[in-house]
Structures are given as structure tokens and as C-alpha cells.
Amino acid sequence: MALDTAIAGKTYDPVTFDVDADRIRQYAEAVHEDNPVHHDAEAARAAGFRAIAAPPMFAVVYSAPAMGPPIFEAIGDALPRMVHGGQEFVWGEPVCAGDTISTETTVKEIYEKDGKGFYVFESVSKNQDGAEVVRGTWTNIVRGV
Amino acid sequence: MKQGDAVPEMKVTPDAGLTKRYAAASGDPNPIHTDEEFARNVGLPGCILHGLYSMAQVARANTAAAGGDPRRLKRLSVQFRGMGFPEQEITVSGTVKEERGGSLVVDTVAEQNGNAIIRNAEAELAV
């Protein structure tokens, strides 16, 4: 069965996420990030952050809501056969409590290799000042295409 | 650190409740990570770790290697392979591959019982 690549190149409307300190602390605790800059506002400011700083991988929290629509549209009924194959993040401006992050996603590439479908999505997240905070490349693999 | 140097190894053992805490913290509701019965019904040996949790351990090890400031982690690229499990020790290890324009590129791997759960991980650290 040939892969449907018609939506490659499609860009989706940005989805926003309000970052609050409790969500950062909860995430930092779950991934064992014990640097005080992720837990304590004073420590964060002393280290030069505007407020409690998100650990780099908190990128998955604020960009995930924007990933749903392109993944559902591109992969659809094959979702149960999908696995997360690879991930890249390139970080820019740090994300802090109080930020509003806006994430725009694009279906970057769809191709077939060794009987598997590769779906590559790009997310670009910016803060309320328009500064890029992260650029993500998400590779999802569907078996048996 | 310079080319060829090993970065400090990091070990962590996620406890039995970790996947539920990570699911809540990350917003990933997939029951293969949190519901033993569901996981077995889809052919898994039990609940598996979230790949992005394991990636976060690779990020943490690299941030520590760069001195602990999260702003020094500029880029991280990983491939997910195999499955990670709660209550088994994860070891993250790495080697400086090259220096590139004021950054160190570190090749990293995360293993559990000798199986790579994250491989071909490449981190770029500002130093």
C-alpha cells in the first residue's frame, strides 16, 4: 500500500500553552531534575532567569498539544501501529514560569523505508516576545504500511 | 573536556510509581506506560517507560556534564530503541565526539541491563 503523502508540507495553526511554576516543578520532579532553578524562584533569579526555569526537556510539555492535530491527520487509523522513533530539540531562549509559548507545527516529510512509514513533523515554539525557545523534529514510525 | 573524553556516567532507577508521575507531568496518557493489564494485553511484558522520560535522563546527564546550567544544552537528538522498564537501573554514558564552534558534541547512550534504550544520541553543549 502506497503511503499517502498528500499532506507533507502542511502547516498547522499555532497552539499556545501557559507555563506555570507548579507544572515546571511537577515535571522537574518526575524527571529527577533537582537543580534549584527549576523549583525555587529566588534561586532561578539569582542564576539570571526571569522566574522558575523549565528544564530543557519540558519542551515536550508545552509543544505536545500542538502535535496532536498533525499526527492524527497524517497517521489516522494507523495510530495503534505508531512508535516514536526519534526526537531532536534545538533550544533557544530559556522558558520560564509565566511565559506563554506558541507552537506551530509542520508535516515535514513522509516516506517509506523497509516496509515502514516514516512521518517527520517539525514544531517551532516561540515565547510571548517572539523569541524562539525550541525547534523540535519528531519522527514517528508506522509498521506494516 | 576534549575530543575522546568520556563524560561522567549517570545512573538512575525509576521506581514503580514513576511512569504514573511522568504521565501526569508530561500529559502523555498512553496506558501502555501506566496500566499493567493493558500493557500485557498488547503483548508487552509490562508497563514500559516513556521514551521521552528516558530522553530526559540523557538530557540531564549531558547538562550535568556541561556543569549543570540547563542553558548549556543547545541541542539533543536521539533514537528510541528497545523498551525501558521501571525498577531497573538506567545507565547514561557518553563520549565527546568533536568540538564544533565553541560547542562540544557528545555521543550518548542510555542502557538498561546492557540493552540500549536510547541510542545514537547526540548532544551539543556550550562550554
Side-chain angles (χ1 to χ4, degrees):
Chain A
M1 191 177 81
L3 278 188
D4 184 356
T5 60
I7 70 159
K10 180 172 176 180
T11 293
Y12 292 76
D13 288 341
V15 177
T16 59
F17 184 97
D18 292 322
V19 179
D20 72 71
D22 287 343
R23 197 71 200 270
I24 291 177
R25 286 196 199 96
Q26 180 191 19
Y27 178 84
E29 197 266 333
V31 298
H32 327 295
E33 288 279 10
D34 55 9
N35 186 330
V37 301
H38 305 309
H39 299 271
D40 178 69
E42 237 171 80
R45 278 193 285 269
F49 294 101
R50 291 169 280 117
I52 285 184
M57 284 296 295
F58 189 78
V60 304
V61 178
Y62 59 72
S63 47
M67 296 310 299
I71 289 178
F72 283 118
E73 189 174 2
I75 299 177
D77 293 343
L79 268 175
R81 287 181 284 124
M82 181 187 90
V83 294
H84 196 173
Q87 182 69 48
E88 180 181 63
F89 286 119
V90 178
W91 287 278
E93 186 68 22
V95 169
C96 295
D99 284 356
T100 296
I101 306 299
S102 171
T103 299
E104 187 179 271
T105 49
T106 302
V107 182
K108 204 173 167 190
E109 209 181 354
I110 299 174
Y111 62 93
E112 190 175 332
K113 197 174 118 187
D114 303 331
K116 298 184 186 114
F118 285 73
Y119 296 79
V120 184
F121 303 91
E122 184 175 71
S123 63
V124 178
S125 302
K126 293 180 178 173
N127 68 15
Q128 58 285 350
D129 301 322
E132 188 169 307
V133 296
V134 88
R135 185 171 289 255
T137 305
W138 313 61
T139 303
N140 290 309
I141 302 173
V142 174
R143 291 161 291 168
V145 293
Chain B
M1 287 191 293
K2 60 180 191 311
Q3 194 178 335
D5 284 356
V7 302
E9 213 171 65
M10 193 195 79
K11 290 178 185 290
V12 61
T13 304
D15 64 45
L18 184 279
T19 57
K20 285 198 172 74
R21 295 199 304 280
Y22 183 83
S26 67
D28 181 341
N30 191 332
I32 62 171
H33 303 296
T34 50
D35 182 338
E36 286 287 334
E37 197 181 325
F38 182 93
R40 290 208 185 88
N41 284 342
V42 297
L44 297 169
C47 288
I48 61 170
L49 296 176
H50 296 79
L52 290 167
Y53 163 82
S54 301
M55 184 179 179
Q57 301 316 304
V58 173
R60 193 160 68 89
N62 277 292
T63 303
D69 186 336
R71 287 166 288 206
R72 291 197 174 164
L73 181 61
K74 294 301 185 191
R75 181 174 67 87
L76 180 61
S77 162
V78 307
Q79 289 181 2
F80 300 108
R81 288 296 179 275
M83 289 178 281
F85 297 97
E87 300 187 282
Q88 296 183 22
E89 187 175 65
I90 301 170
T91 301
V92 183
S93 56
T95 308
V96 178
K97 185 165 88 171
E98 58 176 315
E99 290 183 62
R100 192 189 288 167
S103 293
L104 292 177
V105 179
V106 180
D107 272 338
T108 319
V109 64
E111 292 174 319
Q112 252 185 347
N113 296 321
N115 300 315
I117 57 173
I118 300 269
R119 71 169 191 194
N120 293 340
E122 196 178 272
E124 204 171 312
L125 310 177
V127 286

